[in-house]
Amino acid sequence: MLKKVLGAVIRYFRKLDKGLFVAVCGLSALSVVLMYSLVDNGITSKEPSMYRMQFICLCIGAAIALVMSGLDYHRFTKLWFLYAPAAIGLTLLTFTSLGYQPNASADDKAWLNLGFTTFQPSEVLKIAFIMTFAIHLEKVKDKLNHFLNVALLCIHGAIPTLIVMLQGDDGTAIIFVVIFACMIFAAGLSLKYIIPVLCALPFGLWFIWEKVMQPHQKLRFLVLFVDDPMSDPEYADIFYQQYWGRLALGSGQLFGKGLHADKYVEVPYVQNDFIFTYIGQCFGFIGCIAVIAALAYVCLKIVVDSRIAKDDLGRFICVGVFAMIFIHCILNIGMVLVVLPVIGVPLPFISQGGSSMVSMFVSIGLVMSVYSHSERNYRVFYDGK
């Protein structure tokens, strides 16, 4: 019995995607350190326990990812009829009295107030969408380019996107669109659909700009092209966070001020969407490049894992997770560098938020499961005898 247990443990660690797991744990550990520094320096004194919660979510997420890596991802996908309705139902609860808006300046009401904590159900919805869409693509892969199948896939992608748009969470809506586009493209969508979409894209963007976007949303884009937004009353409030974020990012210069300095540039809600500015202050340009390199490694490792997946289902799951993490990084770092508008998207594994931390680890657990079971006849807890 002991020999079988030891054999199972050895096989488990032999097939564990150790590089990916260490990378995401390292980024998450950095998050805990940054949260502690923010509290210790009095920058976020209103949330003294946030680094403890971040550490707890790191431990929970890492444990879930390790367990998931040892289980066949097909088991998770077969339970779609449980988690997909649950994810949609939880997201729809934000439209009830349980819905919570974290601050008055936010555009979205995308959280649930559970009394003892808050929870963002769209994080669960992202994972549910990746898994159900992967199943859908795998089912129709041989007839993907039939018009009816393409139409049904578009409806599948539109459901979560429209729900989060109704919440006012435009950033998450963009993430769903990118996940949808990357996954359906990876499945082999024909150029006869891609070319018309690209041709219609300028008109679609014009329509969104003229008919859908609110004036304050337009200002977030227009402010990027103004020479001195802070001197213009029309743009000053919109640009306020990015202005201080840019000053904070540059104040760290090459090597940063360290985690305990005499003075930091304070940025509103720095622990959330603008955590990259604090990385710049603490660790400077070198630290920022190191974090970007670690995030790039995570994204590239997921792409590599998709290439060795034993079937299309595993490949589609990896592509979906890659798209989610990649677009999170682009939108977050882009708005900090003032090349994209402020859109409220956290930096994966680093921004403060338990829902985001755990959901990212669950998505990594799915990728690790695909990697662990990449051999067609391999099972972690089965010795093949």
Side-chain angles (χ1 to χ4, degrees), residues 127-140:
I127 299 172
F129 174 67
I130 289 172
M131 294 174 70
T132 55
F133 200 58
I135 297 169
H136 195 162
L137 289 171
E138 199 269 340
K139 292 288 186 184
V140 303

Side-chain angles (χ1 to χ4, degrees), residues 21 24-25 28 54-68 354 357-365 368:
F21 184 70
V24 296
C25 284
S28 302
Q54 199 77 346
F55 178 72
I56 291 171
C57 291
L58 161 59
C59 294
I60 293 173
I64 291 173
L66 287 173
V67 171
M68 291 180 69
M357 176 76 79
V358 174
S359 69
M360 284 292 172
F361 267 104
V362 171
S363 66
I364 291 297
M368 290 168 63

Side-chain angles (χ1 to χ4, degrees), residues 44-76:
T44 56
S45 56
K46 293 182 179 180
E47 301 181 62
S49 64
M50 69 179 184
Y51 66 89
R52 298 190 189 97
M53 181 58 68
Q54 199 77 346
F55 178 72
I56 291 171
C57 291
L58 161 59
C59 294
I60 293 173
I64 291 173
L66 287 173
V67 171
M68 291 180 69
S69 70
L71 300 174
D72 193 333
Y73 55 94
H74 292 88
R75 295 186 179 184
F76 304 125

Side-chain angles (χ1 to χ4, degrees), residues 346-361:
L347 190 62
F349 305 104
I350 300 179
S351 290
Q352 186 261 336
S355 303
S356 176
M357 176 76 79
V358 174
S359 69
M360 284 292 172
F361 267 104

Side-chain angles (χ1 to χ4, degrees), residues 234-257:
E234 184 179 13
Y235 296 107
D237 288 342
I238 292 290
F239 193 65
Y240 182 83
Q241 193 176 22
Q242 284 182 302
Y243 172 77
W244 287 106
R246 187 165 60 181
L247 288 179
L249 188 66
S251 68
Q253 299 183 9
L254 188 60
F255 296 105
K257 305 174 182 177

Side-chain angles (χ1 to χ4, degrees), residues 272-347:
N272 300 125
D273 304 334
F274 274 70
I275 190 64
F276 195 71
T277 66
Y278 196 64
I279 294 173
Q281 289 198 80
C282 293
F283 303 112
F285 177 77
I286 299 298
C288 290
I289 293 299
V291 169
I292 291 173
L295 290 167
Y297 170 80
V298 170
C299 291
L300 290 173
K301 187 65 175 67
I302 295 171
V303 172
V304 171
D305 288 353
S306 74
R307 301 284 293 177
I308 64 172
K310 69 179 180 181
D311 57 17
D312 287 326
L313 180 63
R315 181 166 65 91
F316 295 149
I317 289 173
C318 289
V319 170
V321 174
F322 159 79
M324 177 180 70
I325 295 176
F326 179 76
I327 192 60
H328 264 272
C329 295
I330 294 297
L331 292 176
N332 182 275
I333 296 175
M335 69 182 181
V336 170
L337 297 178
V338 198
V339 295
L340 292 174
V342 175
I343 204 164
V345 172
L347 190 62

